[in-house]
Every structure is written in C-alpha cells, then in structure tokens.
Amino acid sequence: MDRTTQLTIRRTGTTAPARTSGSPAPPGSHEITHSGAHVYDPDRPTGSLHLRAARVLEGNWTGTSTVPSHGLYPHQWSWDSAFIAIGLRHLSPLRAQTELETLLGAQWGDGRIPHIVFNPSVPLDAYFPSPDFWRSSTAGRAAGAPRTVQTSGIVQPPVHALAAWLVHQADPGLSRSRSFLSRMYPRLAAWHRYLLHRRDLGGGGLASVVHPWEQGMDNSPCWDAPLSRVTPAAPRSFRRADLDHGSAEDRPTDLDYGRYVRLATDYRDGGYADGAGEFAVEDPAFNALLIASEHALAAIAQELGAAGTARHARAERLTAALVERLWDPAEGMFFCRDVYGGDGGDGESYGGDGYGGDARDGGESGALGSERRSSESGAHGSERGSRSGALAPEQRSTESSAHASDRRSRQSGAHTSEQRSRTGALIPERSVAGLLPLILPALPRDIAATLVRTAGGPHFGLGGVARLAPSYDLTGHAFDPHRYWRGPAWFNTNWLLERGLRLHGEHGRAEELRAALLETADTSGFAEYVDPYTGEACGALGFSWTAALTLDLLHEPARADQAERADRVDRVDQSTHVVSHPGYRAFDSVHGTPPHTSHASHTTHTPHTPHSSFETGAKGGDRG
C-alpha cells in the first residue's frame, strides 16, 4: 500500500503491520474499508470503542475534511477540524494533514482563519447563517477574504498550530516529504499575528472575541452581560435551521439568537473590521489555547531550522498577562473580561444585580491592580525577534511581507481600541473556560493547584457529583444540564482538562477523568455533549470531535509504563511505509530542546526531546 494512503493503528506495546489492500487481514483483526485505505483494529472484538470511533470519522469524512455531524453541522468548522486532526493522526497522518490544509486554504489575507468553510454542495437552507448571510467574498474583500471559497467572517479558538505539530509528529517522514510544516508555518504565524494585534482590543496583550460564536462555548452565561447591550435582530429577519435538529429547550433562546444575528450582521456590514462593535471579551480558554499554540509554533519553527526561543518567551509573557487580567485569587479560577463593560474603566467587576448574584466585593483587587502594565509585556515585546533567519527563503519572503501587514494591523487595531474603555470588568460567571489555563506549562504552581481544587469543588464537581466537568457552574443561577453550554459537559473541554491535570502532576485525577470520558463516549454514542451528572446523550450523535478525542485517549498508555515509553521513539520505518506513534506524552511534562539537526534526509531521524509539553501530544456551540 502506498504510504500516503496508509492508515495505521497502534495498541499498547505493539504496532500493527501495514498490509496491502489485497493481502488478508491478520487473524482476529477487523477493518473498515473505504476509498484506497483500511482502518485496522487488531485483536479487538467487532464493535469495539476504537473501531466505532473510527467509523464515526469515516462516516463524516467528505473527501477533503470532516463535518462535525452531517445533519446539524454539514460544513467544516475551524476548531472542530483541529481536534479532529489530533484524533485522525492515529488513523491516517495524511488525512489529518489534509484536514488542516483544507481549513487553512480558506484563510483570509489579514490572517484570520474563518470559523466555517462552506461546502458549496450543501443547500443554503440546510444551515443558518449560510454563505449568503456572511457574503465573505464581497463584505470581506478589504480583509482579504478568499474569492473562490465561501466562509464565515468570524473565528474560533486557535488550536491549529498545536494540532499541526501533533499531526507532524505522528509521521515526521511523511510530513517532511510533503513539506507539511513549511507550508503551514507562515499561515499559522499570520493567524497568531492577527489575534495578537488586531484582536488586542483591551490593550493588555490578550486576544478578544467579538462574537460569542468565536469562543466556541456559544451560549455560555458568560455572554449574558455583554450581550445585554446588543439590540436583537427582528425574529422574522432570519430562520433558525438548528431547531430542525434539536429541541428548543436545549438550544439558545430566540432572544439570544437575535443578538447573535445582530452582532454578526453589524460585523459583516462593517467590512469585518475589528474594534468597532459592541461586544469584546477576553476569554481565558481562547487565550490559553493561543498560548499553547504559541509553544507549538516554537516547536514548528525549530523543526524548520529556527530557534523558536522568542515564541516560547512570548507564550510565557502571555501566560503572565492571562494571570494579571483574568485570574481571581479570591474565587480560585479565571474569569472572562468584558472589555467594554463595567462602570467605565476603573477595573471593578459587575455587581450581583442581574449577573449571577455573586458579586466578588473587592476579590479582584490583586489581579487587576497592575493590569495596565501588561499592555506592553503581553504579546508585542519580541514579535520581530521571533522571525529567525534560519527559515527557508520562501518562508522568509512570506514572513517579510507579513511584517508589513502586521504593522498595519497593529496601527489600525490599536487606534480603534484606544477609543474605547480598555480596562473593562470581570464577568462573575464560572465557566469551564476558567479552568482550561491548566493546560499551560508556565502557569504558576500555586495557581495550578488552586484550579485543581476548584475543578473538584462544588461548582464543577469533577471526581465527585459530576461524571464530567460541566460547561457552567453546577450551583450557578443559569445552570441547565441540557441547554447548550449552560451546564452540559463537552468532550473537548474535558479532554483539555485531562491533559492539564497530567501536565501538573495530577495523574490519578487525570486517569479517573480519562476513564469517565471513555465510558461516556461509549455509552452516549459519541454524543455532541452530555448531562454532566448522568452522561445522558444530548445534541447530535456520532459527533466527530468526540470520536477523534476518544481515539487520542485510547492511544494513551497506562500510567505504569508512561515513563518507559516517554524515552522511546515509537516509529517503525519500513521500506514502503511508516507506522506512526501516538502522542503519548501529551501535556505531561516540560523538557529542554536539543540543538536543531538537519532533516535533509527523510530516511534518518534523530530522536527529539520536546521543549514543552505541547510538542508531543495536544465544537463548539451554536456555531453561527
């Protein structure tokens, strides 16, 4: 079998040999046949979790990307594809690469990666907002929207560089032979520049989301306060296709949906220019994923011959800015910041009247006291220093042209945000987003320990009353175990928590969460989201990122042999194919990086010791 179409599976302690499509299957194995390749499940019973997860991804594959689910979400979604690629790398590194290449092929000239890439074969009335709502090729012309692909105009959390690095590691030989990273790096770097400069609307170094759909947790109570300033669109001005596939009791209300539509309409009619709207929120999960992907970009730069040091340093400065602007020591977690909210900029949070009833009288003083100092130290300090001369000539050219647009974007974005209140206020709603900075390697030890305690406390109940961490505070005024992002548990956020727990040494808790995730995926039919108490399936079934991240968890070794496997390079080179290894040490520890070695030859590989925890291992809401 040609290695670019080979799908590989690994089970603990062994590798499954590749075989041609004409050769017999190994005894006791089972397979899925599809165009040009096989998915193997050696020595596992028919109907195993592993095989069923692979079948979900196969069923949702379109030929160039994977839909979240054919009925409810029939297009390609941005952060879905990143999580899907992380799981696909265990089945087919080529397909995982293609998933990301398709998405980044729709990138805009200003660097943004749109949250939806539309499939032109899907009828317009199958999903709203559809391409004729976003009008990307015309309304987004000034921002460099592609002319030949229809997309939305907003973004989603930046998991992409992390996914690209993990996909590369699944089969470095294939990745190098296809120049996967050298093609992806300029696009990913432009994506990060866009977020760090055009979206630094608060002036403190963190990226802001300008629509609830951008953060991915679309219907979270965190958005209620900033959305209250938005006049909703008239109910008869749009038709909600989501209600054709789900119960109205589990979906956003018509009032909230009208506000979503109004925000998107105003953004579109303003040419998708940032900083002019009524909604701007700094979210801890969005920024934590950006920081994690900065670490991954550093690893990619090193693979391509650059040092990567400046990117690691920027990631650490962003971590400090995250703590300074969004950490609340009194509550023991991170909170969203409404950039244009509060009482006009003195740094106080919302009161308890109408926004959760849990005002934190003075609890933020330590976290907010010096936030203005973070504006210079957050993201801009070494932007120029991160562009190493060791990159290939074509990349240096791309990077050089990107610098010019980078400077323009900083000027336009900063000028706009200076006209608004840049201090804002913390939003007193406890969301799972406030726990996700646990994935960061440079997070202070005391903060990490506090987050672990908060996750297991009464608000999230992880390891206690809750099977999986809920999306919103179990004791909160707006908690609903079945309504979108207002209480249900989601697989991707719990997958990130599992990695964060391992990273900070909480292996016992991580193993418990891993077991609960696998059991829930099994019993729920790979549901989109579940009741956090019972695991009851909600939303779409056969959901792609649930299946993909299940595969990633299944490729995780038992804790007993993690240390032994960490020091091995689990690749088996053969004359016609490569068996790829799973990212066993995902988020487990932080290491030093050896000097860069030449990769001119694709047949000899030097074992690589990762620089950070994100080098070896790592859907969202109503979605617009």
Side-chain angles (χ1 to χ4, degrees):
M1 180 186 295
D2 183 88
R3 93 180 201 176
T4 62
T5 60
Q6 175 192 359
L7 300 182
T8 59
I9 294 295
R10 179 178 179 79
R11 55 185 174 135
T12 303
T14 63
T15 55
R19 64 184 178 88
T20 64
S21 58
S23 63
S29 69
H30 307 279
E31 65 182 52
I32 308 168
T33 303
H34 57 87
S35 55
H38 298 268
V39 176
Y40 301 107
D41 192 36
D43 300 329
R44 300 184 190 211
T46 301
S48 72
L49 183 61
H50 188 285
L51 188 61
R52 286 186 287 120
R55 283 175 173 156
V56 168
L57 295 180
E58 177 62 21
N60 289 341
W61 175 250
T62 68
T64 56
S65 64
T66 309
V67 297
S69 71
H70 279 290
L72 188 54
Y73 307 116
H75 302 286
Q76 182 179 25
W77 263 261
S78 173
W79 75 325
D80 289 71
S81 279
F83 287 121
I84 289 165
I86 289 170
L88 274 177
R89 67 194 169 115
H90 302 301
L91 301 178
S92 169
L94 175 64
R95 183 173 289 188
Q97 291 177 30
T98 302
E99 184 81 35
L100 295 173
E101 289 165 351
T102 300
L103 178 68
L104 268 68
Q107 186 175 23
W108 290 28
D110 64 1
R112 82 182 73 193
I113 297 175
H115 97 297
I116 302 176
V117 179
F118 290 106
N119 183 342
S121 67
V122 174
L124 288 179
D125 62 358
Y127 191 85
F128 178 85
S130 55
D132 57 345
F133 172 88
W134 294 104
R135 306 171 199 165
S136 60
S137 59
T138 54
R141 185 175 301 154
R147 296 184 178 182
T148 58
V149 180
Q150 293 298 312
T151 76
S152 64
I154 59 176
V155 303
Q156 273 191 325
V159 199
H160 312 90
L162 176 58
W165 178 242
L166 300 181
V167 167
H168 162 79
Q169 287 199 311
D171 192 336
L174 174 66
S175 174
R176 292 168 188 144
S177 70
R178 299 185 69 247
S179 301
F180 172 66
L181 290 183
S182 62
R183 289 183 290 111
M184 292 295 101
Y185 182 82
R187 292 181 176 273
L188 293 168
W191 168 223
H192 284 212
R193 282 194 300 274
Y194 168 79
L195 293 174
L196 290 169
H197 301 308
R198 295 202 179 193
R199 288 300 189 88
D200 182 12
L201 303 179
L206 300 181
S208 292
V209 296
V210 299
H211 194 291
W213 288 337
E214 291 197 315
Q215 193 266 0
M217 304 178 194
D218 309 355
N219 195 37
S220 170
C222 294
W223 317 135
D224 292 353
L227 276 177
S228 67
R229 297 191 297 268
V230 178
T231 302
R236 286 179 288 184
S237 65
F238 59 91
R239 176 187 174 275
R240 294 183 59 179
D242 63 316
L243 296 181
D244 295 340
H245 302 276
S247 169
E249 288 74 22
D250 294 344
R251 309 293 298 182
T253 65
D254 286 341
L255 177 62
D256 284 337
Y257 210 96
R259 286 170 169 149
Y260 301 154
V261 172
R262 171 66 67 190
L263 276 177
T265 300
D266 290 349
Y267 194 39
R268 177 198 67 198
D269 294 348
Y272 295 110
D274 295 311
E278 298 178 84
F279 185 99
V281 174
E282 295 171 353
D283 175 77
F286 191 101
N287 281 280
L289 289 169
L290 175 59
I291 295 166
S293 283
E294 270 292 306
H295 282 297
L297 264 188
I300 293 172
Q302 184 178 12
E303 163 70 18
L304 297 174
T309 307
R311 287 201 176 276
H312 281 306
R314 180 186 297 109
E316 293 182 1
R317 287 194 301 275
L318 284 169
T319 301
L322 184 74
V323 170
E324 193 168 21
R325 288 184 67 78
L326 305 185
W327 173 248
D328 185 334
E331 295 295 335
M333 65 181 298
F334 290 86
F335 287 85
C336 294
R337 177 175 291 278
D338 182 359
V339 173
Y340 303 149
D343 59 5
D346 67 358
E348 294 300 318
S349 68
Y350 287 103
D353 49 343
Y355 299 117
D358 60 346
R360 288 163 283 134
D361 305 321
E364 308 79 34
S365 58
L368 301 178
S370 59
E371 65 187 350
R372 290 177 179 84
R373 294 197 298 272
S374 68
S375 61
E376 292 302 319
S377 63
H380 309 315
S382 61
E383 179 70 22
R384 294 179 180 85
S386 67
R387 310 292 178 255
S388 170
L391 295 176
E394 63 272 19
Q395 290 175 267
R396 290 198 298 269
S397 175
T398 303
E399 292 280 84
S400 176
S401 62
H403 273 308
S405 63
D406 183 21
R407 287 191 294 271
R408 289 193 297 271
S409 72
R410 272 186 287 184
Q411 293 167 358
S412 62
H415 178 73
T416 303
S417 65
E418 283 172 359
Q419 300 173 21
R420 308 293 295 267
S421 165
R422 301 200 303 175
T423 301
L426 295 183
I427 302 171
E429 299 286 4
R430 298 178 184 88
S431 161
V432 70
L435 303 178
L436 295 188
L438 199 60
I439 67 175
L440 299 178
L443 196 67
R445 184 176 301 177
D446 61 328
I447 290 179
T450 301
L451 283 177
V452 172
R453 288 194 297 272
T454 300
H459 298 294
F460 295 95
L462 190 60
V465 297
R467 177 180 293 197
L468 299 177
S471 51
Y472 175 69
D473 183 359
L474 295 171
T475 69
H477 70 107
F479 175 77
D480 184 329
H482 292 165
R483 193 180 286 275
Y484 236 56
W485 293 107
R486 300 179 86 85
W490 293 73
F491 214 80
N492 65 329
T493 55
N494 278 270
W495 179 85
L496 288 166
L497 281 176
E498 195 265 359
R499 267 46 187 177
L501 289 169
R502 285 191 195 281
L503 170 63
H504 293 284
E506 297 287 343
H507 295 289
R509 288 185 172 90
E511 195 62 29
E512 290 177 3
L513 179 53
R514 174 178 177 267
L517 281 164
L518 292 176
E519 179 185 5
T520 303
D522 188 11
T523 58
S524 71
F526 304 102
E528 180 181 2
Y529 53 98
V530 299
D531 184 304
Y533 291 118
T534 67
E536 175 190 349
C538 302
L541 301 183
F543 199 70
S544 288
W545 79 19
T546 303
L549 297 178
T550 295
L551 286 172
D552 195 63
L553 291 171
L554 287 170
H555 278 258
E556 211 172 72
R559 284 183 295 139
D561 55 45
Q562 274 185 342
E564 176 185 350
R565 295 181 187 281
D567 297 325
R568 293 170 49 196
V569 179
D570 286 318
R571 296 185 67 256
V572 179
D573 288 303
Q574 300 181 17
S575 58
T576 60
H577 64 274
V578 175
V579 176
S580 64
H581 67 89
Y584 283 139
R585 301 204 61 193
F587 298 81
D588 279 353
S589 59
V590 181
H591 303 280
T593 304
H596 173 74
T597 55
S598 172
H599 297 295
S601 170
H602 298 316
T603 58
T604 302
H605 306 293
T606 302
H608 173 71
T609 303
H611 180 92
S612 80
S613 57
F614 299 97
E615 294 194 34
T616 52
K619 161 166 157 49
D622 183 56
R623 299 175 165 269

